[in-house]
Amino acid sequence: MAKTIDQIIAWLDTPSHRKCVLADIGYYSGSEQTMRLSTTAYYDGVNEYIPIIMGGISFSESLSADYNISISYGTLELQNTGGPYDHFLDYIWKRRNINLYLGDPSWPKTDFILIFSGLVDTVVSSGESSLQLTIVDKSEQLNEAITTRTLKDLSNDYTAKNTQEEKLLPVLFGEVFNLSPIIVDTGINYDTGPWTGTIAYLNSTTGIQVGRTVSADTTTVGKLYQGTLTSCVVNSIVDNNTILYTVYATGRPRPGIITNLTINGVLYPPKTGKSIEITWVKGTGGAVYKITDGINTPYLDEIIEVRDKAAPIEILDARSPFGEFMQKNSVFGTVTCSARSFPAAQCTVPNLIKYIVKNYGKNKLTDSDIDFTGISTARASYKAGIYVTERTNILEVCTQLAKSIGCILYYAPTTISAGTTTSGKLKLVELTAPITVVGSTELNDSLMLEGTLQISEAFQVKPTIKLGYCKNYTQQPQDLALALNPQHGDVFKDEYWFVQKSDSTISGLYNDTGEVQEELTHLLITAEAEAEALKRLDLWKTPRQLITATYLPILLFVQLGQPVTIKSNRFGLSAGKPGIVYSINRDWLTGFVEIGVLV
Amino acid sequence: MAALNSRDLFIQGIYPRLLSQTYSPLDLDISLQGTNIVVKLVHPGSEADIPKYIASYRVKLWRQGETSGTYASDWWTNGWDSGNMLEVTTLGMASFNLLDLPNSPTKRISADGINYQIACKAVDSMGTISTKTLLGSIKIKTISA
């Protein structure tokens, strides 16, 4: 069983200890394989480790004041004098797992502690004597488009498919206001039927009787309708080459050309030199608008309101299982709607992010890869929504959602559990004003490498916070319905609603110019946006600094976002100040760790 | 439908959402001219004062039989009775030729009087029909010898 963190720290404090780092690295060379490298010679009882890791076993992680995703990274330096490992350059390493373990070469591998769990990015060579293996955290596997499905990926049921094939199918997460659904069926051909149609260019209609069922040849019948066939019968015989038919089906009949027609088991070939043509009379259904593509069922929880030129209109059919609605009447202008993908209680930011990373992309995460428990209860319940209409990266969408509640998305290289480390998890770190937390880790001078304390960044004071929320996904500055009540004001005109929170005392003290940088969110509710603005004001109305120092191995296992108390004789820290861990740079070979604390 | 977001909640609190929903003429002027029941829509000003968002008015006539007075409730959505109902779309005046209605089983006119109900609704430029209905009636009877 892996050593505990306390045992590892005690071991690192032993003067005679010998460090060994083992690396299990996935790669592809004809098949998926595992490469085993180490800093010193090691044999785990089954596999031998190649001792070519020269150094560079340090990883940087950092939060971001603008709530952008934190990606940790590092480089392993591999000994390659004379080129015995040049063939590494021929292998495929991209997005393969890498696990690094720390321990004593005299220990069995099971005693080693996991210090990094991530992905390989590339292997390059900067000189003749070495190779560099770049490693990143597992957020890299979310670095791909959330959807690439376009109209052409829809079934042939949709008439717009052939004219706008490359148009991306939008995806809705949570609830949004006034989105523009895409029209996927322009015709008035969706109906419950029955429909009548013409089958022309038969060689002969002799023997065909009215009322006979056209159902013997599934290949042929399959071209007469879309959906589930109830029955298809001969309605009348027009002449020696043409019959009329009636199709009863849940779907709609389909025009086209067929080679043969079978009626009651009798084959009716086409007229010489012709193909049998099938036409049909359109029903009285409506145009179909798609709100969302997706993979959940049903795609929509609720269509809140459909509008034509901002005026509410009735729809013919919600078609929620397909993420669509059908509009029967002619429309006068831009059709928009407000809609929600999940029940209201499930539209929280953590839930939306979790849903996206578990269901989208090639490398889907599972519940065991996710830990969103570290944020405040309030922020965990805030509601949001985002509507993806363009090719967008999964990480980008999730980052935008996380930013909305003042959190930073972060894939921890390892997670501390039951006193030791396990594989990393996707986390949310909430950036709040540091407060004193009883029992928090103390970073003091006795743990610090002498002379390394510095103020590495001073953050700008913000006396005012202006948050955008409740995005209007279709701005309509003009051409609204004439009959719209003027009380609607600019509700359809503005892209965002804003809340603003200020501290006039701070504004005066800092000679604030009054210019406020808007921070845009995907929050939906005014009260929640106000609370979030107040939280950010509370954080940034005070001068904040990033104080960095290098500490002893006892602090190797601190985590980003962890509350700490920093104490030093310098920079007004003698009484101790609460802070949160903002950046970490661990050097596993020396055991020293550079920690940046936001105070 | 229930929304979470503040914009939808805000607009759901606006009444009426469309001004056309509560718009109607001021009154109806109903008269008999020959075999026609003529319904003139009385507006506060001239026809030019009708708001631009009003596209037309729909006026329905319903031969109710030998009853009296204006029907107590809005009958606009009653099932269509093709033997006793007519409808005209207009901006100012609706004319119903009684000869367009069959003379049986209900007579067009009688000694006790046949009551004709009138109902009028506004239709806006989006095709939205007003929720408000203006009701009226006229009773037509033969002149006794």
Side-chain angles (χ1 to χ4, degrees):
Chain A
M1 187 178 166
K3 301 272 188 194
T4 65
I5 289 170
D6 288 343
Q7 288 171 326
I8 291 291
I9 288 170
W11 167 69
L12 288 170
D13 207 27
T14 309
S16 59
H17 78 269
R18 289 187 303 148
K19 292 193 195 74
C20 173
V21 172
L22 306 177
D24 291 346
I25 312 166
Y27 69 101
Y28 181 86
S29 176
S31 62
E32 294 293 343
Q33 301 179 50
T34 301
M35 178 76 68
R36 293 176 179 82
L37 306 178
S38 61
T39 51
T40 58
Y42 188 80
Y43 179 70
D44 69 1
V46 179
N47 302 295
E48 204 164 311
Y49 282 75
I50 310 169
I52 56 170
I53 300 176
M54 295 197 297
I57 307 176
S58 64
F59 309 104
S60 298
E61 310 163 41
S62 177
L63 301 180
S64 155
D66 54 10
Y67 309 100
N68 281 323
I69 187 167
S70 164
I71 296 176
S72 48
Y73 58 91
T75 304
L76 290 187
E77 188 91 7
L78 308 181
Q79 175 70 257
N80 188 35
T81 305
Y85 303 108
D86 281 353
H87 56 281
F88 282 13
L89 296 167
D90 299 328
Y91 298 162
I92 299 171
W93 302 87
K94 186 80 176 175
R95 288 189 181 181
R96 263 62 182 186
N97 285 319
I98 175 168
N99 288 324
L100 300 180
Y101 303 88
L102 176 69
D104 191 289
S106 65
W107 297 350
K109 194 189 169 191
T110 50
D111 278 1
F112 279 61
I113 192 166
L114 182 72
I115 57 171
F116 182 88
S117 173
L119 301 172
V120 182
D121 185 35
T122 57
V123 174
V124 294
S125 174
S126 61
E128 287 189 355
S129 59
S130 68
L131 295 170
Q132 288 78 38
L133 194 140
T134 308
I135 55 181
V136 292
D137 67 45
K138 285 186 176 174
S139 61
E140 172 63 21
Q141 64 188 338
L142 303 174
N143 190 12
E144 59 180 307
I146 201 162
T147 181
T148 54
R149 275 169 57 83
T150 63
L151 271 173
K152 71 180 173 189
D153 294 312
L154 293 178
S155 76
N156 287 324
D157 271 354
Y158 298 95
T159 57
K161 177 181 170 178
N162 295 327
T163 55
Q164 308 176 66
E165 278 196 341
E166 298 305 321
K167 192 168 182 61
L168 194 76
L169 294 171
V171 189
L172 172 67
F173 300 107
E175 179 177 308
V176 303
F177 174 78
N178 211 38
L179 61 89
S180 290
I182 61 169
I183 191 162
V184 290
D185 200 308
T186 51
I188 50 170
N189 47 18
Y190 250 106
D191 204 352
T192 52
W195 301 268
T196 55
T198 308
I199 298 175
Y201 296 118
L202 293 167
N203 187 42
S204 168
T205 57
T206 305
I208 297 177
Q209 293 175 8
V210 171
R212 284 292 170 86
T213 305
V214 186
S215 60
D217 186 334
T218 53
T219 308
T220 302
V221 173
K223 295 190 176 179
L224 286 175
Y225 71 99
Q226 291 274 314
T228 305
L229 180 75
T230 308
S231 67
C232 182
V233 298
V234 177
N235 192 21
S236 63
I237 297 142
V238 178
D239 54 34
N240 198 35
N241 303 122
T242 306
I243 61 171
L244 297 179
Y245 71 93
T246 303
V247 65
Y248 298 85
T250 55
R252 58 180 178 170
R254 179 176 169 186
I257 294 172
I258 60 175
T259 51
N260 283 302
L261 182 72
T262 307
I263 297 178
N264 270 25
V266 179
L267 192 67
Y268 287 87
K271 200 173 177 179
T272 306
K274 293 279 189 183
S275 296
I276 298 172
E277 286 187 5
I278 298 176
T279 58
W280 55 284
V281 179
K282 288 180 178 179
T284 55
V288 177
Y289 292 82
K290 185 172 275 293
I291 294 173
T292 181
D293 191 30
I295 50 182
N296 51 316
T297 304
Y299 291 180
L300 287 173
D301 173 59
E302 187 168 329
I303 300 172
I304 295 160
E305 183 173 87
V306 177
R307 309 180 184 97
D308 179 6
K309 297 174 83 170
I313 55 172
E314 290 183 8
I315 57 172
L316 192 63
D317 185 5
R319 298 173 62 83
S320 296
F322 304 101
E324 303 166 348
F325 63 85
M326 189 193 296
Q327 174 54 42
K328 183 166 187 174
N329 297 320
S330 298
V331 293
F332 295 81
T334 307
V335 173
T336 60
C337 68
S338 295
R340 187 167 60 236
S341 63
F342 306 119
Q346 295 176 25
C347 293
T348 62
V349 169
N351 197 57
L352 294 179
I353 295 174
K354 196 179 282 190
Y355 179 78
I356 292 168
V357 298
K358 282 172 64 181
N359 292 286
Y360 287 83
K362 187 180 174 189
N363 302 290
K364 298 174 182 62
L365 303 189
T366 63
D367 281 328
S368 63
D369 298 320
I370 303 164
D371 176 13
F372 289 162
T373 55
I375 63 173
S376 63
T377 310
R379 295 306 176 277
S381 68
Y382 280 13
K383 309 295 191 302
I386 190 165
Y387 193 49
V388 179
T389 58
E390 295 174 350
R391 286 177 198 272
T392 311
N393 188 290
I394 293 173
L395 273 182
E396 172 63 20
V397 171
C398 293
T399 300
Q400 284 186 39
L401 286 167
K403 284 167 92 168
S404 298
I405 52 171
C407 289
I408 297 154
L409 198 64
Y410 156 64
Y411 211 121
T414 56
T415 301
I416 295 173
S417 173
T420 188
T421 57
T422 59
S423 289
K425 291 177 189 283
L426 188 68
K427 290 186 171 189
L428 285 172
V429 177
E430 187 174 348
L431 213 49
T432 56
I435 55 170
T436 302
V437 176
V438 178
S440 64
T441 303
E442 184 175 289
L443 278 58
N444 57 43
D445 286 349
S446 67
L447 302 174
M448 189 191 302
L449 208 58
E450 180 72 22
T452 58
L453 189 76
Q454 59 171 315
I455 297 174
S456 51
E457 189 170 356
F459 296 96
Q460 192 181 353
V461 170
K462 296 180 184 176
T464 303
I465 297 289
K466 187 177 181 181
L467 279 196
Y469 72 106
C470 208
K471 183 177 179 179
N472 172 14
Y473 279 82
T474 310
Q475 285 179 261
Q476 295 174 283
Q478 55 195 17
D479 196 29
L480 301 184
L482 286 170
L484 203 64
N485 190 325
Q487 285 183 34
H488 285 78
D490 293 333
V491 73
F492 292 103
K493 180 182 172 185
D494 301 328
E495 186 177 16
Y496 282 94
W497 274 5
F498 290 98
V499 291
Q500 189 163 313
K501 298 293 175 187
S502 303
D503 186 316
S504 55
T505 306
I506 300 293
S507 183
L509 284 173
Y510 282 86
N511 292 321
D512 183 46
T513 60
E515 286 182 25
V516 186
Q517 181 74 37
E518 295 165 352
E519 297 171 37
L520 303 179
T521 73
H522 293 278
L523 295 175
L524 301 172
I525 300 167
T526 306
E528 293 180 355
E530 284 178 337
E532 177 59 28
L534 274 176
K535 182 187 85 176
R536 295 186 191 193
L537 180 65
D538 194 34
L539 172 62
W540 298 117
K541 72 180 183 181
T542 303
R544 301 286 175 193
Q545 294 164 335
L546 180 62
I547 297 180
T548 311
T550 302
Y551 292 93
L552 301 180
I554 193 171
L555 293 170
L556 261 173
F557 293 92
V558 294
Q559 301 278 300
L560 279 186
Q562 180 181 328
V564 293
T565 300
I566 184 167
K567 207 169 180 180
S568 175
N569 288 328
R570 297 294 310 275
F571 307 137
L573 301 171
S574 56
K577 258 189 173 181
I580 59 171
V581 176
Y582 189 87
S583 64
I584 307 169
N585 189 2
R586 299 180 179 92
D587 188 326
W588 292 102
L589 283 183
T590 64
F592 288 112
V593 54
E594 185 184 280
I595 301 174
V597 178
L598 179 74
V599 296
Chain B
M1 296 291 220
L4 279 173
N5 76 82
S6 295
R7 285 204 215 215
D8 271 304
L9 290 175
F10 170 74
I11 64 174
Q12 282 173 9
I14 297 172
Y15 182 80
R17 293 288 305 283
L18 299 176
L19 297 176
S20 56
Q21 287 179 312
T22 55
Y23 195 85
S24 73
L26 201 61
D27 204 352
L28 300 174
D29 179 352
I30 310 170
S31 61
L32 181 68
Q33 296 178 19
T35 62
N36 292 300
I37 289 177
V38 176
V39 181
K40 286 183 183 169
L41 311 185
V42 180
H43 296 293
S46 66
E47 221 172 78
D49 294 328
I50 299 172
K52 285 181 180 174
Y53 55 77
I54 298 298
S56 63
Y57 294 90
R58 287 169 62 188
V59 185
K60 282 184 180 178
L61 174 140
W62 172 30
R63 179 170 59 182
Q64 200 187 7
E66 291 182 333
T67 60
S68 295
T70 301
Y71 199 62
S73 58
D74 185 358
W75 52 272
W76 184 269
T77 54
N78 285 10
W80 182 253
D81 178 357
S82 58
N84 290 296
M85 286 181 176
L86 295 171
E87 182 175 339
V88 166
T89 300
T90 181
L91 262 177
M93 186 178 77
S95 181
F96 300 96
N97 190 346
L98 297 183
L99 296 178
D100 290 341
L101 295 174
N103 201 33
S104 76
T106 310
K107 298 280 188 190
R108 298 189 188 106
I109 190 167
S110 74
D112 289 336
I114 300 293
N115 201 17
Y116 289 89
Q117 301 291 336
I118 303 294
C120 176
K121 277 183 180 285
V123 181
D124 73 11
S125 54
M126 303 266 312
T128 308
I129 194 161
S130 63
T131 51
K132 189 172 178 179
T133 310
L134 193 61
L135 301 174
S137 65
I138 185 170
K139 190 168 188 175
I140 303 172
K141 60 166 84 173
T142 57
I143 299 170
S144 55

